[in-house]
Amino acid sequence: MQIKSAEFVVSNQDVAKCPSNTLPEYAFIGRSNVGKSSLINMLTNRKNLAKTSGRPGKTQLINHFIINKNWYLVDLPGYGYARVSKTQKRVFQKFITAYFENRKQLVSAFVLVDIRHKPQPVDLEFMEWLGTNIIPFSIIFTKADKLKPNAIIRYIEEYKAILLETWEDMPNYFVTSSTKGDGRYELLNYIDSINLELNQKN
Ligand code: GDP
């Protein structure tokens, strides 16, 4: 897929106020600092479409971007940061949960995981929650440029072993680097192929 256009549409904390048309959408979520903004900018070939976070936990909004005028990329707030209050965490949980439970246009989520960190309970629990709620997702391993190829293979094997303790199969996954552009082609092609399939069905 070539990115011909990528535009910001709307930000809010209320799923009812998200765009009302039926274009397919893909939601990106992960712990703060995982590299989500960098990945979104890399995918869309824009320097500042998503704001890279100087201060983790600052952007507590559901952000919709329209890509090629035919699908939405949704930038969800980062989770798992220490600096926000319990009340803020509850608010966050509520609107994110509402988003995933109610957003019919959501085709798939992408859960971002920093390839340098050992599997984090908060990520594993979140994936389990998605599974329980039958929300399709893929894992995106970020910052792959930080590891050597062999270390990447070992890391994925370890991650897989942990996931297979609770999952029957390893979820679909992508290995990416925003600094090098790794995984861009695969991810965009994946989204493109789903969009094509959806178009053929309609
Ligand atoms: P967000 O909080 O998840 O949106 O994360 P950001 O995109 O703001 O990135 C957090 C930090 O990780 C920043 O210092 C980025 O420069 C760095 N970063 C993000 N992606 C990559 C990557 O692919 N490779 C490397 N080496 N650093 C990255």
Side-chain angles (χ1 to χ4, degrees):
M1 182 199 312
Q2 272 191 9
I3 303 292
K4 294 181 197 123
S5 62
E7 289 150 41
F8 169 73
V9 181
V10 68
S11 289
N12 60 70
Q13 285 198 337
D14 183 355
V15 63
K17 292 184 187 146
C18 290
S20 58
N21 59 38
T22 55
L23 294 177
E25 72 186 45
Y26 299 83
F28 291 71
I29 190 164
R31 296 199 313 141
S32 287
N33 233 24
V34 69
K36 181 165 51 70
S37 313
S38 305
L39 182 89
I40 291 171
N41 292 336
M42 181 271 266
L43 284 178
T44 54
N45 232 342
R46 301 289 186 278
K47 268 205 183 108
N48 283 314
L49 192 65
K51 305 266 179 297
T52 43
S53 53
R55 182 134 65 92
K58 211 176 153 206
T59 42
Q60 295 296 294
L61 295 164
I62 304 170
N63 302 296
H64 273 77
F65 299 96
I66 189 161
I67 313 296
N68 292 349
K69 306 204 190 299
N70 67 3
W71 62 277
Y72 286 114
L73 185 160
V74 181
D75 180 9
L76 293 174
Y79 55 69
Y81 35 83
R83 257 196 263 158
V84 300
S85 68
K86 272 198 179 137
T87 320
Q88 269 179 304
K89 267 185 199 161
R90 263 199 300 276
V91 171
F92 164 80
Q93 228 159 11
K94 241 183 165 170
F95 79 80
I96 293 300
T97 307
Y99 170 83
F100 280 109
E101 287 176 346
N102 298 306
R103 192 67 179 155
K104 295 203 171 52
Q105 295 90 329
L106 178 71
V107 175
S108 184
F110 291 106
V111 180
L112 277 64
V113 168
D114 190 323
I115 204 156
R116 296 169 306 169
H117 301 158
K118 66 177 178 23
Q120 303 286 310
V122 67
D123 293 326
L124 299 171
E125 279 160 23
F126 183 64
M127 291 181 214
E128 237 175 280
W129 183 82
L130 289 173
T132 310
N133 287 278
I134 323 181
I135 296 158
F137 72 92
S138 298
I139 303 174
I140 296 181
F141 295 107
T142 61
K143 309 188 190 181
D145 56 284
K146 297 264 191 187
L147 295 185
K148 298 215 162 80
N150 275 343
I152 294 178
I153 293 168
R154 261 201 318 275
Y155 179 87
I156 306 249
E157 282 307 313
E158 279 169 29
Y159 213 96
K160 208 171 178 175
I162 287 176
L163 281 174
L164 291 182
E165 287 171 12
T166 44
W167 292 83
E168 238 168 71
D169 298 306
M170 173 71 175
N172 193 28
Y173 68 88
F174 298 89
V175 177
T176 67
S177 159
S178 297
T179 49
K180 290 170 114 189
D182 294 353
R184 181 176 189 270
Y185 176 84
E186 289 80 0
L187 252 168
L188 289 178
N189 258 10
Y190 176 72
I191 293 172
D192 204 22
S193 65
I194 302 180
N195 286 345
L196 270 174
E197 233 173 81
L198 291 172
N199 268 344
Q200 279 161 4
K201 272 193 208 153
N202 292 333

